[in-house]
Amino acid sequence: MPISKSPASRSSMPWLIIMSGALIAMLTFGPRSAMGFFQLPMLQDTGWDRSTFGLAMAIQNLAWGLGQPFFGALADKYGTGRVLTFSGVLYAAGLLLMSTAHSVPILHLSGGVMVGLAVGAGSFGTILSAFARNVTPEQRSLAFGIGTAAGSAGMFLFAPLSQALISAYGWSDSLVVMGFMMLLVPLLAYPLRGNSQSGTQSKSEVQQTMGQALREAFSHQSYLLLTSGFFVCGFQVAFITAHFPAYLGDIGIDARYAVIAMALIGFFNIIGSLGAGVIGQRYSKPYFLAYIYIGRSIAVTAFLLLPQTPFSVVVFAIVMGLLWLSTVPPTNGLVAIMFGTRHLGLLGGLVFLSHQVGSFLGVWMGGALYDRFGSYDPVWWLGVALGLFAAIVHWPIKEKPIDRAPAKLQPAE
């Protein structure tokens, strides 16, 4: 059902904040999404096996997920600009150290812990919270869509860039170049300065401690349902990212279609994220999320049951690209609607932690179940079932602010 607009929705967007945040999202998501291109040349030089590199990437995903609520809370209290500045410096240091990694502990520290924490400090939870504090409630979904699409663009642009750098300079010097690129993040962070007490929307927010916000969130059924559903998103996309190229090889599809498929997912991810921002601004976010998860389950089922050809791979990649990160704008939008923006970095970060736990399990179970059954089919069908589960848990979510006791309804001064 369409959502009515108020006159406030016609207020101008804070474009300097939006564009600065979008560029930061593009930078922070770019290198981490291109890590797979460094695997083979790095392993050729060091003699490590793929599980060594894979563990580093798994550590990176967990550090990202564990770090995001922590950095979101720091941004809420001490300022988004400071946290983003730290992200850029830590990201640069992690990539520079990774460029010298000739021992496994250094690889896991640099490419795993440091890069993962840097992405956690500079990704959606931090950036979208700053957007939410400076746009009207009616503008949030579109602003979140722009920020998410920018992260998608970073995934799309850094794939050919990293390949070109590795071909020209080798993997080590390429990491150095990308490390210095991350030093642009502190410069872009200035327009996003300010904490949860600042911004155009802060006067309408209630005063709460972090403990009060956490107790309120974890006693709210809709928040718990949203968190459990976002776990499924992480499981599905991480499994495809990590194992789809190998799956195509197993079914006899030429290897170049794996590259084509991932590029198509990245490109249509941009369109899907922007579209999700527009749709979420006009229609029910819980129902929209349910339809996204149903769409993913239908797409995977059709891909598995219909003849698998290069053409079907292309169609599947386009459909999954449209649905890839389209969950992010409505998910973050719902958290902001339920609880406001005062602790959005923390509460949105905890929802994203669920996503990253799902990501870890999607990557790990993909390999573990393949080793057990000699096929990826059990994981594909598990993903289909989880998609239907996610649709079910999103359906009863209430898109409205939490009911608070009258004593808590005093706006911030």
Side-chain angles (χ1 to χ4, degrees), residues 38-306:
F38 289 87
Q39 180 176 189
L40 293 181
M42 177 180 283
L43 299 187
Q44 185 176 1
D45 280 359
T46 59
W48 300 328
D49 56 24
R50 296 191 185 193
S51 62
T52 300
F53 189 88
L55 179 57
M57 296 304 102
I59 292 171
Q60 183 188 107
N61 274 281
L62 282 181
W64 176 9
L66 292 170
Q68 185 148 325
F70 172 74
F71 289 116
L74 289 179
D76 290 338
K77 185 171 184 178
Y78 298 108
T80 302
R82 291 172 177 168
V83 171
L84 291 175
T85 297
F86 175 77
S87 170
V89 173
L90 182 63
Y91 214 141
L95 291 175
L96 290 173
L97 183 60
M98 187 177 175
S99 73
T100 67
H102 288 284
S103 72
V104 173
I106 294 297
L107 172 66
H108 290 167
L109 172 65
S110 58
V113 176
M114 294 174 69
V115 171
L117 290 176
V119 177
S123 61
F124 294 136
T126 307
I127 294 170
L128 299 189
S129 297
F131 286 4
R133 293 195 298 268
N134 291 281
V135 301
T136 65
E138 295 79 10
Q139 294 169 335
R140 280 181 195 150
S141 186
L142 178 59
F144 289 177
I146 294 171
T148 307
S152 306
M155 296 168 62
F156 179 69
L157 294 174
F158 269 78
L161 175 62
S162 61
Q163 284 184 309
L165 287 172
I166 292 170
S167 298
Y169 304 109
W171 67 269
S172 180
D173 289 345
S174 298
L175 288 171
V176 172
V177 172
M178 291 200 296
F180 279 106
M181 291 177 67
M182 294 305 103
L183 295 178
L184 292 173
V185 172
L187 301 178
L188 294 166
Y190 184 75
L192 283 82
R193 66 193 184 280
N195 61 8
S196 61
Q197 304 287 338
S198 60
T200 61
Q201 306 301 305
S202 63
K203 297 298 181 183
S204 63
E205 297 295 327
V206 299
Q207 290 280 18
Q208 278 184 317
T209 65
M210 186 185 303
Q212 290 171 331
L214 288 171
R215 286 192 294 273
E216 184 178 68
F218 283 108
S219 65
H220 188 47
Q221 182 184 44
S222 289
Y223 180 78
L224 296 177
L225 291 174
L226 187 68
T227 302
S228 65
F230 212 34
F231 165 90
V232 176
C233 180
F235 183 95
Q236 292 173 329
V237 301
F239 166 70
I240 293 174
T241 299
H243 296 286
F244 193 56
Y247 175 77
L248 293 184
D250 290 345
I251 62 175
I253 301 292
D254 191 285
R256 63 193 174 98
Y257 282 97
V259 178
I260 293 171
M262 300 314 293
L264 287 171
I265 287 174
F267 177 76
F268 282 92
N269 192 7
I270 300 171
I271 299 172
S273 299
L274 287 172
V278 174
I279 294 170
Q281 194 167 293
R282 295 173 58 93
Y283 297 95
S284 166
K285 295 176 184 63
Y287 291 171
F288 179 46
L289 284 165
Y291 292 137
I292 289 172
Y293 287 109
I294 291 172
R296 287 183 181 180
S297 292
I298 292 173
V300 171
T301 299
F303 180 65
L304 294 177
L305 296 182
L306 294 175

Side-chain angles (χ1 to χ4, degrees), residues 324-341:
W324 198 253
L325 289 183
S326 57
T327 57
V328 173
T331 297
N332 282 273
L334 282 169
V335 178
I337 289 170
M338 291 174 191
F339 306 108
T341 63

Side-chain angles (χ1 to χ4, degrees), residues 8-42:
S9 65
R10 294 191 290 270
S11 301
S12 61
M13 293 274 277
W15 287 112
L16 179 60
I17 292 173
I18 298 296
M19 297 315 297
S20 296
L23 288 172
I24 291 172
M26 188 181 300
L27 286 169
T28 55
F29 272 78
R32 70 146 305 270
S33 65
M35 285 289 107
F37 296 106
F38 289 87
Q39 180 176 189
L40 293 181
M42 177 180 283

